[in-house]
Amino acid sequence: MSFIRRAFLQKRVKGEVGMTNHQHTWRDYALIVLPYLWMILFFLLPFLIIFKISLSVSEIASPPYSPLVTFEDGAMQIILHLENYTFIFTDPEGTYIRSYLKSIQVAAFSTFLCLIIGYPIAWALATAKPAMRNVLFMLVIMPSWTSFVVRIYAWMTLLKRDGLINDILMAVGIIDHPIQMLQTDFAVYVGIVYCYLPYMVLPLFSALMKVDYSLIEAAYDLGCRPIKTFFNTLIPQTKSGILAGSMLVFIPAIGEYVIPELLGGKNSILIGRILWQEFFNNRDWPLASAVAIVMLIILVIPILIFYKIERKEQEGLNARK
Amino acid sequence: MLASKERNSTIMRAVIIVLTLIFLYMPIGILVAYSFNESRMVTVWTEFSLKWYKELFQDAAIIKAVGISLFVAFFTACTSVVIGTLAAFVLVRVGRFKGESLFVLLMTAPMVLPEVITGLALLLIFVTLGSQFEFFANRGVWAIWIAHVTFTSAYTTVVIRSRFRELDVSIEEAAMDLGAGPIKVFFAVILPALMPSEVAAFLLAFTMSMDDLVVTSFIAGPDATTLPMLIFSSVRRGLSPEINALATIIVFIVSIFTFFAWLSMVKSQKRKKADAAKAARAEAVEQNTHFMAPHGNESIDPAKKLSDNEMKLLMEQVNALKEGRDIANEVAQKLKSLPEAKRHVAADKMEVSDIDDDETNDETESDKSNEVELDPGVVELEGDGQDWADLARKARKASLDAYRANVEAETREKTNEAMISALGESARTTTAVTRLASTDVAEAGKAKVVDLESKDSKEDTVAHQKAHQFAKDQAQKESAAATKEAAEVMISSGSNTVSSTTKNSISTIANMAGIGGNNKANQAAPKQATTTSSLEDAKAKKAALKSAMNQAIEQQSKVTDNNSLESSSLQSATGGQATTASSLALKKTNKAPSDTFSAKDITKATTDQAKSLTDKAKVVDTTKK
């Protein structure tokens, strides 16, 4: 009996829930092996290596870090350096701690901005006429298919001191001298919102497509005010979309490098920039690795939330089948 | 109030969409506009020029970077689609396996993980592996390829998986039942169905690979500079119109791709819609087939093409149906106005029906046998059972043929709409008419009986009460009895009009079924009209016919003498053509108003109340014996 058919049968009989693995043949594993091995080799293993390197110290060598395991006089020596971690937390200038906090703040606020901007957009898309919806959907997605750097570059030209926005504001007479927009946190927010908005809109859109709009009508019929209706009917129904979208914006924004580098100023030292500098400019790989590990620890909860949503989605869809 | 709310939300939607599009496209638009600027100053417009494009195409570094990016992106997309398909297959079809959670986590994490972490991780694995294998040490395009595949696979998996879930497992099962191996099933069934998502995943992986900056910057050795890296370093140095020109080209290519993606999306949606409509129609056809021939296992291919001749025939049939529907409507109108006058007479019919009822109840034996006979498709008849069975088989075949013609017509573009609407309309109206007819006509028939006998002297109120209850409890028997009485009256009076209307209804039914039995029916009908005796015989025959529920039109022509009257009504009960036939019968009877009700009575009431008719017939049969 072929493995595909067995998979079908299992699905039929057990309804996909509580399925066990003991009946899988070598064929199943043959299918799994390529993607699985690939991901383990090039995705899971690297994190172990990051962890390993974060426990060593920088050396002028190739590779530029001290070996973890050394052989001296025939005896194996394992030297674990925790200096990198202690340095991150006890740095006299507090650069690392500050940039972590700054990253979290920027990421959280831009996630919030994306949410309040993205929600109406997703709503407008989801409730538009089907033919119109396709066009609008494509139009909203299209910018994210153009080059990321190019999009940031576009905002640079707009936000410059002699850029278009300043020109227009001066011409209208709102301001009489150009205001500094580029190299501020404002520019970073604009950049993040501009680049990550589609990642927020997409899950919200698919969540809003599933919403039972008769509930809203019912709420109105029962005399519910619009704001209360929104919070009591729409928000609960789109919770998973809100969470997924927020995670899709928040997690990458934490480590964002390009946007603060190009649009941000001296104040916009986010942790991604620190990591990059440590790695490329200072060539301190162990410290960069430690920075990455701490960042991962910060991100564990958001990643797990996202993973759970993904899992639920997968199981929900499978069960529905 | 509601309308204004609707309008408000429409306005709000429009405002949101316009603002969104301005926000999304203004920067890009300005970028594009300034690429045609003569001045080196990116923000000051001087005059139109294409010189930056010229410079762009002469820039060897950019050309090389584009080449590397395209190369990497192409191989990344190919590999990533393969891995994504495998992963999607595993996730959707294989089900739970050891380490599945880890697998899902590994396939999810690259989508959200900050690029700097992914980049660092990948670089470190290359460095580590590079100390062992020369291949990883050089960190050229192949290293970038591996890195890109790693993070794009997560996305391709999501895209392909969502499509994979929608696939119909039964098609794969069918292929396997037909002897296809798993590999063949995959390439012949699954892959073609997945194609749209494969293409989408390919494009997504390609774009992401083309676009990636951070991961590539970590990985890439000094020789492998991709386009985003080049743009980034150039942007970091300062604004340059050359980048604007490059960006314009990128935007142009992307918009072309977007346009085609949108086009294919629209197309596939249209196709989906058409498929859904087709499926719905096929289902409807199937249901009709079952209705028509409960035991027919002949499959009907709705896509089968018809010859012009057949088409013409079918068109005629459709027109006839339409006409029948109109007439049925007309009759329905007339009938609606009739019952008022006759309602009070209904009281009187109680007597007759009650008597009939008693008779039926007395004959439990015949009731039992009747049940057996009524079982559709089971042709077990006494006496000339063989003949009947044969006839029934032929009849079913004939009706199936006729029906198949209908079904085929349905698949034709031209007749489609007309046919369906005509069928639906006529079914609806004739159902209504039948309902009206079976009660009102029965009343009319009984009224006649009562008029003839005219010795009824029951109290009006009591009778009304009884009538009401009776109508509720024993509607079937009532109208059947009425039918019988009407038929009796008709036949015993032996009027010519009766014969003519009956003949007409018979022939129209025969016509409708598309069987060439008209002539014989026509010949048979006059004979019957003159026959005033042996009603009981007729009833017995009718019972036999009735029990062979599936008999249709051909049988009509073969039924001798007085059978034809009953068989004509039976025809209408035969199945698929019942509604249309009765509508046409109505049409004909309408033309002979004097006996409209009696004729209609026969067709209609029998259609609806086949069972009780048989009851009565049995009763008659046994009493005769």
Side-chain angles (χ1 to χ4, degrees):
Chain A
M1 188 189 259
S2 79
F3 68 99
I4 298 178
R5 178 173 300 180
R6 199 160 25 66
F8 297 154
L9 290 177
Q10 280 181 347
K11 202 161 265 188
R12 291 241 164 127
V13 173
K14 298 183 182 173
E16 186 73 15
V17 183
M19 195 180 288
T20 49
N21 60 315
H22 48 77
Q23 286 170 338
H24 293 287
T25 60
W26 63 270
R27 278 198 211 240
D28 295 357
Y29 292 109
L31 282 175
I32 301 163
V33 89
L34 176 62
Y36 213 154
L37 267 190
W38 186 291
M39 292 318 270
I40 285 176
L41 184 61
F42 296 114
F43 198 71
L44 186 64
L45 196 59
F47 285 101
L48 301 178
I49 292 172
I50 291 185
F51 187 63
K52 190 196 102 181
I53 292 173
S54 77
L55 294 173
S56 62
V57 285
S58 177
E59 270 180 8
I60 299 169
S62 176
Y65 51 87
S66 66
L68 209 60
V69 182
T70 50
F71 293 94
E72 251 172 57
D73 310 327
M76 194 175 78
Q77 267 192 317
I78 301 174
I79 309 159
L80 296 181
H81 297 273
L82 292 172
E83 288 105 296
N84 296 315
Y85 293 98
T86 50
F87 181 71
I88 287 171
F89 289 105
T90 58
D91 169 38
E93 288 168 37
T95 321
Y96 300 95
I97 299 289
R98 246 191 300 126
S99 62
Y100 275 120
L101 293 177
K102 177 96 180 173
S103 289
I104 293 171
Q105 177 216 319
V106 168
F109 190 57
S110 15
T111 305
F112 175 70
L113 287 177
C114 278
L115 186 62
I116 57 169
I117 295 170
Y119 207 98
I121 297 172
W123 171 81
L125 283 180
T127 54
K129 286 191 189 83
M132 196 69 186
R133 191 190 295 149
N134 283 341
V135 180
L136 292 173
F137 190 78
M138 281 292 174
L139 283 174
V140 169
I141 297 300
M142 206 193 91
S144 62
W145 288 349
T146 62
S147 172
F148 185 80
V149 192
V150 161
R151 274 177 287 158
I152 306 297
Y153 174 75
W155 276 104
M156 286 171 77
T157 61
L158 280 176
L159 294 171
K160 263 165 62 118
R161 220 158 214 301
D162 53 352
L164 194 76
I165 292 178
N166 266 327
D167 284 354
I168 290 172
L169 288 179
M170 288 214 300
V172 173
I174 296 171
I175 49 172
D176 30 295
H177 56 88
I179 44 170
Q180 177 74 33
M181 285 186 290
L182 201 62
Q183 283 158 4
T184 61
D185 283 356
F186 169 74
V188 174
Y189 286 126
V190 169
I192 293 180
V193 169
Y194 186 72
C195 291
Y196 288 97
L197 195 58
Y199 298 106
M200 180 63 91
V201 171
L202 285 189
L204 284 178
F205 171 75
S206 62
L208 278 163
M209 287 289 284
K210 292 178 208 149
V211 163
D212 182 1
Y213 286 95
S214 60
L215 278 179
I216 296 163
E217 272 168 42
Y220 276 135
D221 288 346
L222 294 171
C224 200
R225 299 196 146 270
I227 290 171
K228 202 178 170 195
T229 307
F230 175 74
F231 282 103
N232 283 338
T233 64
L234 261 186
I235 294 286
Q237 285 190 80
T238 51
K239 212 178 87 192
S240 70
I242 292 170
L243 268 178
S246 301
M247 294 306 113
L248 277 174
V249 175
F250 181 79
I251 301 170
I254 285 269
E256 185 53 52
Y257 165 70
V258 178
I259 294 171
E261 177 71 19
L262 292 180
L263 296 175
K266 286 186 191 114
N267 282 328
S268 316
I269 302 292
L270 302 191
I271 201 63
R273 268 175 107 179
I274 294 272
L275 196 153
W276 183 284
Q277 275 169 9
E278 290 297 347
F279 190 86
F280 286 103
N281 303 357
N282 303 343
R283 263 186 94 70
D284 192 342
W285 290 19
L287 186 60
S289 301
V291 167
I293 292 291
V294 174
M295 203 198 294
L296 264 183
I297 291 166
I298 292 172
L299 289 177
V300 158
I301 292 169
I303 288 175
L304 283 183
I305 292 173
F306 185 74
Y307 167 73
K308 270 218 166 128
I309 297 167
E310 191 69 9
R311 213 60 242 260
K312 225 162 126 191
E313 192 104 317
Q314 158 109 16
E315 257 155 37
L317 284 164
N318 281 345
R320 205 171 55 196
K321 242 187 145 180
Chain B
M1 177 68 188
L2 205 74
S4 80
K5 214 170 242 171
E6 193 88 338
R7 200 169 56 236
N8 280 345
S9 72
T10 311
I11 292 166
M12 214 157 93
R13 200 178 298 137
V15 169
I16 289 168
I17 286 166
V18 167
L19 287 177
T20 309
L21 294 184
I22 288 174
F23 175 63
L24 289 176
Y25 284 93
M26 181 196 50
I28 294 172
I30 285 163
L31 204 68
V32 170
Y34 277 101
S35 75
F36 300 105
N37 190 5
E38 159 77 62
S39 162
R40 178 159 278 281
M41 298 291 290
V42 183
T43 45
V44 183
W45 181 265
T46 49
E47 61 174 315
F48 181 85
S49 149
L50 288 173
K51 78 171 184 189
W52 301 113
Y53 289 89
K54 214 170 133 195
E55 258 177 51
L56 185 72
F57 286 114
Q58 284 164 352
D59 192 329
I62 286 185
I63 301 295
K64 193 190 166 206
V66 169
I68 290 173
S69 275
L70 287 174
F71 182 83
V72 171
F74 177 76
F75 283 101
T76 298
C78 292
T79 322
S80 176
V81 162
V82 171
I83 289 183
T85 310
L86 286 174
F89 190 95
V90 169
L91 287 174
V92 176
R93 286 291 150 81
V94 176
R96 289 264 161 92
F97 56 93
K98 240 177 219 152
E100 193 214 1
S101 315
L102 179 66
F103 186 66
V104 176
L105 183 64
L106 286 177
M107 281 305 194
T108 311
M111 287 197 282
V112 284
L113 220 56
E115 281 182 300
V116 280
I117 296 183
T118 317
L120 181 63
L122 281 160
L123 172 68
L124 294 179
I125 188 80
F126 284 132
V127 170
T128 311
L129 288 173
S131 59
Q132 255 79 46
F133 307 99
E134 191 56 33
F135 173 76
F136 294 103
N138 115 50
R139 304 216 313 268
V141 285
W142 292 109
I144 301 174
W145 166 71
I146 287 175
H148 285 189
V149 168
T150 305
F151 72 82
T152 53
S153 294
Y155 291 89
T156 52
T157 306
V158 168
V159 171
I160 297 169
R161 190 187 64 187
S162 65
R163 169 81 185 156
F164 217 127
R165 284 209 192 93
E166 292 167 10
L167 294 193
D168 191 353
V169 175
S170 58
I171 298 171
E172 292 157 43
E173 282 172 342
M176 248 176 296
D177 287 344
L178 294 171
I183 290 166
K184 180 140 195 207
V185 167
F186 180 80
F187 283 102
V189 178
I190 298 177
L191 205 56
L194 283 180
M195 225 45 210
S197 68
E198 301 274 340
V199 171
F202 182 93
L203 287 176
L204 184 67
F206 191 91
T207 335
M208 293 187 72
S209 170
M210 276 297 279
D211 194 22
D212 183 73
L213 168 66
V214 175
V215 173
T216 320
S217 297
F218 274 94
I219 305 298
D223 294 337
T225 304
T226 61
L227 187 61
M229 286 167 75
L230 201 78
I231 298 173
F232 181 64
S233 59
S234 136
V235 165
R236 254 217 290 214
R237 280 200 302 272
L239 305 180
S240 146
E242 227 174 276
I243 301 297
N244 287 42
L246 187 61
T248 305
I249 293 171
I250 293 173
V251 168
F252 179 70
I253 293 169
V254 167
S255 18
I256 288 174
F257 267 97
T258 312
F259 178 72
F260 281 110
W262 171 74
L263 217 65
S264 76
M265 199 161 112
V266 169
K267 250 187 206 165
S268 82
Q269 261 172 6
K270 264 187 191 161
R271 206 179 321 122
K272 253 187 199 168
K273 242 185 210 168
D275 283 353
K278 210 170 160 188
R281 208 159 55 219
E283 202 176 312
V285 161
E286 203 168 306
Q287 277 175 1
N288 279 334
T289 314
H290 288 314
F291 175 52
M292 183 63 189
H295 305 283
N297 47 10
E298 294 96 324
S299 65
I300 290 159
D301 177 17
K304 198 183 156 193
K305 297 219 166 184
L306 292 176
S307 71
D308 284 354
N309 210 23
E310 280 172 312
M311 272 304 295
K312 216 169 143 191
L313 254 162
L314 286 166
M315 282 308 292
E316 275 169 18
Q317 214 164 351
V318 168
N319 287 335
L321 280 168
K322 278 182 181 167
E323 207 182 328
R325 181 192 64 195
D326 294 343
I327 306 276
N329 275 331
E330 214 175 292
V331 173
Q333 286 301 319
K334 284 192 177 173
L335 276 170
K336 265 182 203 159
S337 58
L338 276 170
E340 276 307 303
K342 273 172 238 117
R343 203 131 278 170
H344 71 279
V345 189
D348 301 327
K349 80 189 161 199
M350 284 306 306
E351 197 70 5
V352 183
S353 318
D354 274 346
I355 294 161
D356 284 337
D357 198 24
D358 289 340
E359 275 176 13
T360 322
N361 288 341
D362 288 341
E363 301 298 326
T364 39
E365 224 180 323
S366 66
D367 269 347
K368 271 181 195 164
S369 63
N370 177 39
E371 267 172 37
V372 177
E373 285 167 333
L374 267 174
D375 188 11
V378 181
V379 190
E380 277 178 49
L381 294 172
E382 294 159 314
D384 49 356
Q386 271 305 322
D387 282 344
W388 287 119
D390 198 39
L391 275 176
R393 230 172 286 122
K394 277 185 190 165
R396 199 169 77 200
K397 195 174 174 294
S399 59
L400 242 183
D401 285 344
Y403 184 67
R404 183 176 302 163
N406 276 346
V407 168
E408 281 163 356
E410 234 173 345
T411 67
R412 306 296 299 181
E413 289 279 321
K414 279 183 192 169
T415 52
N416 237 347
E417 300 299 318
M419 188 77 179
I420 287 162
S421 76
L423 270 172
E425 283 284 302
S426 87
R428 228 173 295 127
T429 46
T430 45
T431 315
V433 170
T434 310
R435 212 174 293 131
L436 277 169
S438 57
T439 51
D440 297 341
V441 166
E443 284 168 18
K446 265 164 223 158
K448 279 191 181 178
V449 176
V450 171
D451 282 343
L452 281 172
E453 296 175 5
S454 72
K455 47 189 166 186
D456 225 280
S457 56
K458 288 243 168 189
E459 287 266 324
D460 246 29
T461 42
V462 181
H464 264 293
Q465 254 178 0
K466 273 191 183 175
H468 188 69
Q469 208 186 343
F470 193 83
K472 262 187 174 177
D473 296 344
Q474 309 209 338
Q476 282 194 348
K477 284 181 178 174
E478 181 187 24
S479 53
T483 312
K484 191 185 111 193
E485 307 300 335
E488 231 168 329
V489 171
M490 263 167 59
I491 290 163
S492 56
S493 61
S495 76
N496 274 325
T497 39
V498 172
S499 79
S500 71
T501 47
T502 321
K503 192 181 90 181
N504 277 338
S505 64
I506 290 164
S507 62
T508 24
I509 290 156
N511 273 337
M512 271 319 297
I515 304 296
N518 338 14
N519 295 336
K520 285 183 184 175
N522 285 347
Q523 287 160 13
K527 280 186 200 166
Q528 173 249 322
T530 49
T531 319
T532 50
S533 61
S534 66
L535 172 69
E536 283 74 17
D537 280 344
K539 293 280 146 116
K541 287 282 185 186
K542 177 159 67 181
L545 272 168
K546 215 45 200 177
S547 56
M549 278 294 268
N550 288 325
Q551 287 164 0
I553 291 77
E554 202 169 276
Q555 165 193 348
Q556 170 74 48
S557 58
K558 300 196 176 174
V559 179
T560 50
D561 292 349
N562 38 21
N563 278 341
S564 34
L565 170 67
E566 281 73 30
S567 59
S568 76
S569 26
L570 284 172
Q571 240 73 70
S572 53
T574 325
Q577 301 294 351
T579 48
T580 49
S582 50
S583 74
L584 275 210
L586 276 173
K587 165 190 169 187
K588 297 294 179 177
T589 48
N590 197 36
K591 283 173 183 164
S594 62
D595 271 282
T596 301
F597 295 118
S598 21
K600 207 189 307 139
D601 199 353
I602 291 152
T603 9
K604 289 301 161 197
T606 333
T607 310
D608 278 354
Q609 272 80 36
K611 188 176 169 172
S612 36
L613 248 181
T614 334
D615 283 355
K616 303 293 171 196
K618 273 283 152 193
V619 173
V620 175
D621 201 9
T622 33
T623 37
K624 189 189 152 202
K625 276 174 192 168

